[in-house]
Amino acid sequence: MTNKKQEQLNKVTKQNDNDAMTTNNGVKVNEDENTLTVGERGPSLLEDFHFREKIMHFDHERIPERIVHARGFGAHGEFQVYEDLSKYTSADFLTNPDKTTPVFVRFSTVQGSKGSPDTVRDVRGFATKFYTDEGIFDLVGNDIPVFFIQDAIKFPDLIHAVKPEPHNEMPQGGSAHDTFWDFFAQNPESTHTAVWAMSDRGIPKNFRQVEGFGVHTFRLVNSEGKSYFVKFHWKPVHGLESFVWDEAQILHGKDVDFHRKDLYESIEKGDYPEWELGLQIIEPEQEFDFDFDILDPTKIWPEDQVPVKIVGKMTLNQNVSNVFDETEQAAFHPGHIVPGIDFSNDPLLQGRLFSYTDTQISRLGGPNFNQIPINRPVNEVHNNQRDAMHQMNVHKGQVAYHKNALNNNEPHTSSKEEGGYEHYQEKVEGHKIRKRSESFKDYYSQAKLYLNSLTQPEFDHTVDGFSFELGMCKSIMVKQNAVNQLNKVDRELAERVANNIGVEVPEENEEVQSDAKDSKLTMEKFDIPLPGHSVAVLINDDIDEETLKSYAQTFVDNKLNYAFVGKQPRNISEDFGITETFDTAHPTLFDSLMVYANGQDLLPEVEEFAELTYKHNKPLVVNEEAAQRLQNSKLSLSAPGVFVSNDPATIVNAFDRARYWDR
Ligand code: HDE
């Protein structure tokens, strides 16, 4: 499946097949395994230009990783709007339902370096580049709808606090350390987002099953110049799922690439990840109708109050050809917008508009990063910008300035009617001041709203999340200060965390008083479709070929991914059989488990596999032989989500729920 962007990329794709190796200057290479030396055992010669070029290039292969969001993974796809939204916006990709717009999406963690594990507890970046016919629109969002700070000037402080501590560069890929929680306790505006990050939202099971949020308030502007406030949402067609923390931690070691592998393999198999684009729209006259400031990025617009209008679908359908060339060099920027979309005065958004171009200059080596294939728009670029590092174009002609007569005043500017970008003409007045608006100062009500809206297991997991992270802190003062902050949101949360980590339970009656809930904050709001889930079938001793095949057929029919796991691999055909062993497979790598025993005692590995699946609340089916032998294990055969059956359809039905929290 190719779209315009992929065709453009194909044109610049270098194939290594069937081509003679050359130097970068085009000279054919006759030898690539030995440097030029004086005699077979003599010294190397400086004149070996092929060696020098090869090593010089290698020496400079790495570019600086992103300051934040260094660990990421991307894919191509396309977006199509369901209906003409010209009532709200003039953006061509949002008004023409017949048009498909190429997209490139990069998911990321925030804290860790490029090689850190995928499954850490963190906010996930969800950045989408739309290659529209009117230029590039980047929706550079996260999987959590709010952010830790309200003003961009505090971003370096937040990131310095969360990144590995400077004196020992620890910890990697996590916020469970003193400086982050000190920042949290001293900067109460971070409370709401921290509560989200400590809940199940901080440990998503994969990228396919996260929500996406533009976070900031933007504007949509229609062709008459009328503007609406808008928040952008991505709603996952595959529902929302998370890990349990123990499972995520094991995965840091078992498979550091767990999330990227899931995305890559889903796309390779043709099980394309999909999201629907949603808009929350507020009329300009309603700007002050809410008990929060709609410009404050630490606040959601509760969906029960401002419903999300579903307007289109994005499908990721092609992996990149080369991760460095595309994903690593992708330069996202919230300031890349197209006519029909505009900014609000959210002070966090305004600051981001400076940061992203600035960072690309040092990361991608100069101001021509827009010419890197992944960053090029699909429409043509004409302007008088010239020269600079890594210029990829050969500009023709004498004239490089505007206005000119020598070249008929080309390239010319365009009026709004001709598609020129015109900024929304908002009237603003005020004094030059450094001051936070009073309307930004309620830090706790929405954190409470979030906690009130969680199911009991979700709330319990949030208590566990805080208990782990604060428990890992060394400073008693930091732990106490952090719990004192939580006490302003929710008494039960503060009390349980204080007891878990051994600090004093703060005073009573400090918490914000509110029973308000929003039905769209629990992760259980989405159905979770069966396809894409996985099952490991453990073969304890032996299984006949027919049974194995019938199991496989049931899984294929239901679009479940599966692996047969045994003591040793056993090929039945070239691509079918027992492909995994107890050394290569692990319960954390699968969503469910079937155990098949055939008379012999259970192997210790099988019992361990079953116990961990049980502990992580996942569906578990054991055949009768296995059930008899599991009588004395740590798992209870009568617990919810544990089934004794020989029938592979039982596991299909067990996916009625992805996790049995009541186990
Ligand atoms: Fe970013 N952010 N950010 N950020 N951000 C970067 O840009 C920054 C913020 C987000 O996959 C950097 O190219 C400032 C909010 C994503 O390549 C940098 C502030 C949100 C990505 C930067 C914020 C984000 C970045 C680092 C405070 C969610 C990864 C490398 C005002 C709405 C994009 C780069 C990718 C990356 C600055 C806050 C999302 C340093 C100053 C809020 C998804 O420019």
Side-chain angles (χ1 to χ4, degrees), residues 444-509:
Y444 306 117
S445 303
Q446 284 207 349
K448 179 76 172 172
L449 173 76
Y450 182 65
L451 291 170
N452 285 347
S453 309
L454 298 180
T455 62
Q456 191 61 45
E458 288 172 335
F459 183 84
D460 294 342
H461 298 162
T462 311
V463 173
D464 296 344
F466 276 108
S467 303
F468 174 86
E469 297 254 327
L470 292 172
M472 292 295 283
C473 290
K474 303 261 183 305
S475 160
I476 303 285
M477 176 188 70
V478 166
K479 293 182 202 227
Q480 187 68 60
N481 289 346
V483 168
N484 294 350
Q485 277 303 318
L486 296 182
N487 198 46
K488 294 178 185 156
V489 182
D490 189 274
R491 174 72 186 165
E492 183 187 340
L493 175 66
E495 199 171 351
R496 286 175 60 183
V497 174
N499 287 328
N500 285 346
I501 66 171
V503 297
E504 279 179 32
V505 178
E507 302 274 304
E508 278 184 58
N509 301 326

Side-chain angles (χ1 to χ4, degrees), residues 66 69 106 140-142 152 155 332 348 352 355-356 359-360:
R66 289 164 172 84
H69 297 264
R106 182 174 180 271
V140 198
N142 281 341
F155 193 61
F332 292 93
L348 193 69
R352 291 180 75 200
S355 179
Y356 288 71
T359 206
Q360 306 312 344

Side-chain angles (χ1 to χ4, degrees), residues 65-73 105-110 123-128 139-144 146-149 151-156 158-159 213-216 218 297 327-328 330-334 347-360 363:
E65 64 175 37
R66 289 164 172 84
I67 314 282
V68 284
H69 297 264
R71 171 90 180 159
F73 199 69
V105 174
R106 182 174 180 271
F107 298 99
S108 47
T109 57
V110 179
V123 176
R124 298 302 184 285
F126 188 145
T128 309
L139 183 56
V140 198
N142 281 341
D143 75 331
I144 285 181
V146 281
F147 201 64
F148 292 100
I149 49 170
D151 190 306
I153 200 166
K154 290 175 73 73
F155 193 61
L158 165 71
I159 299 305
F213 304 93
V215 175
H216 307 283
F218 287 84
T327 315
E328 192 60 9
F332 292 93
H333 181 14
L348 193 69
L349 172 60
Q350 294 281 325
R352 291 180 75 200
L353 299 181
F354 164 72
S355 179
Y356 288 71
T357 330
D358 187 45
T359 206
Q360 306 312 344
R363 213 173 70 75

Side-chain angles (χ1 to χ4, degrees), residues 3 5-6 8-10 12 66 74-77 102-106 128-131 136 138 318-332 336 363-364 368-378:
N3 59 38
K5 183 65 194 173
Q6 286 156 14
Q8 189 196 48
L9 284 168
N10 286 342
V12 293
R66 289 164 172 84
H76 294 279
V103 297
F104 178 71
V105 174
R106 182 174 180 271
T128 309
K129 199 177 269 300
F130 294 81
Y131 302 91
I136 285 185
D138 284 345
Q318 187 159 334
N319 282 308
V320 300
S321 307
N322 183 287
V323 173
F324 179 86
D325 297 343
E326 299 172 64
T327 315
E328 192 60 9
Q329 294 200 104
F332 292 93
H336 291 161
R363 213 173 70 75
L364 298 172
N368 285 320
F369 56 85
N370 291 330
Q371 296 179 15
I372 297 172
I374 192 68
N375 296 325
R376 275 181 214 158
V378 289

Side-chain angles (χ1 to χ4, degrees), residues 151-316:
D151 190 306
I153 200 166
K154 290 175 73 73
F155 193 61
D157 302 302
L158 165 71
I159 299 305
H160 289 171
V162 71
K163 279 273 184 181
E165 297 187 7
H167 64 299
N168 60 12
E169 225 189 23
M170 289 191 263
Q172 178 60 249
S175 52
H177 59 113
D178 281 356
T179 55
F180 177 69
W181 289 103
D182 189 29
F183 181 91
F184 163 81
Q186 301 307 317
N187 295 274
E189 69 203 74
S190 62
T191 309
H192 187 197
T193 307
V195 172
W196 277 77
M198 293 307 113
S199 75
D200 291 336
R201 301 280 185 147
I203 39 174
K205 208 185 83 185
N206 52 51
F207 294 135
R208 289 178 295 122
Q209 293 181 295
V210 295
E211 272 182 287
F213 304 93
V215 175
H216 307 283
T217 298
F218 287 84
R219 284 179 184 275
L220 293 179
V221 187
N222 70 16
S223 53
E224 271 109 55
K226 175 162 185 199
S227 135
Y228 299 81
F229 293 108
V230 65
K231 275 195 194 276
F232 294 102
H233 295 247
W234 288 119
K235 299 287 180 193
V237 170
H238 309 272
L240 282 171
E241 274 188 76
S242 283
F243 286 121
V244 294
W245 180 227
D246 180 60
E247 196 182 16
Q249 280 181 295
I250 297 171
L251 275 171
H252 298 356
K254 284 284 171 194
D255 189 352
V256 70
D257 301 317
F258 189 85
H259 283 164
R260 54 178 58 197
K261 198 177 282 174
D262 174 86
L263 189 75
Y264 180 84
E265 287 177 355
S266 305
I267 294 174
E268 288 301 294
K269 271 192 273 191
D271 295 339
Y272 298 139
E274 291 180 321
W275 287 262
E276 289 193 302
L277 182 70
L279 305 178
Q280 277 182 301
I281 294 172
I282 290 183
E283 300 269 348
E285 308 78 56
Q286 296 175 309
E287 181 174 357
F288 301 105
D289 286 0
F290 302 90
D291 59 3
F292 50 87
D293 192 324
I294 67 163
L295 299 185
D296 176 356
T298 67
K299 302 294 188 306
I300 57 163
W301 299 353
E303 291 185 38
D304 287 348
Q305 282 179 54
V306 187
V308 174
K309 178 178 169 62
I310 297 297
V311 300
K313 189 189 270 183
M314 171 169 80
T315 307
L316 296 184

Side-chain angles (χ1 to χ4, degrees), residues 21-25 27-37 43-60:
M21 181 187 287
T22 69
T23 66
N24 282 335
N25 291 313
V27 175
K28 282 190 182 167
V29 173
N30 74 333
E31 226 294 336
D32 191 40
E33 289 183 90
N34 295 291
T35 39
L36 188 68
T37 52
S44 303
L45 290 172
L46 205 52
E47 70 186 62
D48 184 352
F49 56 84
H50 172 51
F51 165 79
R52 281 198 333 267
E53 179 193 87
K54 186 174 173 183
I55 295 294
M56 175 278 292
H57 198 275
F58 167 77
D59 287 347
H60 299 271

Side-chain angles (χ1 to χ4, degrees), residues 326-440:
E326 299 172 64
T327 315
E328 192 60 9
Q329 294 200 104
F332 292 93
H333 181 14
H336 291 161
I337 51 170
V338 290
I341 302 177
D342 211 321
F343 312 113
S344 76
N345 295 330
D346 168 350
L348 193 69
L349 172 60
Q350 294 281 325
R352 291 180 75 200
L353 299 181
F354 164 72
S355 179
Y356 288 71
T357 330
D358 187 45
T359 206
Q360 306 312 344
I361 291 172
S362 53
R363 213 173 70 75
L364 298 172
N368 285 320
F369 56 85
N370 291 330
Q371 296 179 15
I372 297 172
I374 192 68
N375 296 325
R376 275 181 214 158
V378 289
N379 52 337
E380 287 190 22
V381 171
H382 303 282
N383 58 43
N384 293 314
Q385 292 165 34
R386 289 290 181 273
D387 308 346
M389 296 274 205
H390 316 306
Q391 178 57 256
M392 301 292 161
N393 297 320
V394 177
H395 296 91
K396 290 197 178 136
Q398 176 189 14
V399 173
Y401 53 89
H402 182 257
K403 297 176 203 171
N404 69 71
L406 281 172
N407 193 33
N408 260 338
N409 203 23
E410 298 294 346
H412 60 269
T413 55
S414 306
S415 67
K416 187 178 174 211
E417 290 64 39
E418 291 164 335
Y421 187 93
E422 187 180 280
H423 289 265
Y424 177 67
Q425 298 187 6
E426 183 187 2
K427 185 169 182 236
V428 275
E429 254 177 4
H431 294 104
K432 284 190 201 166
I433 44 167
R434 287 187 186 274
K435 192 170 180 296
R436 198 72 57 87
S437 168
E438 286 301 313
S439 56
F440 276 38

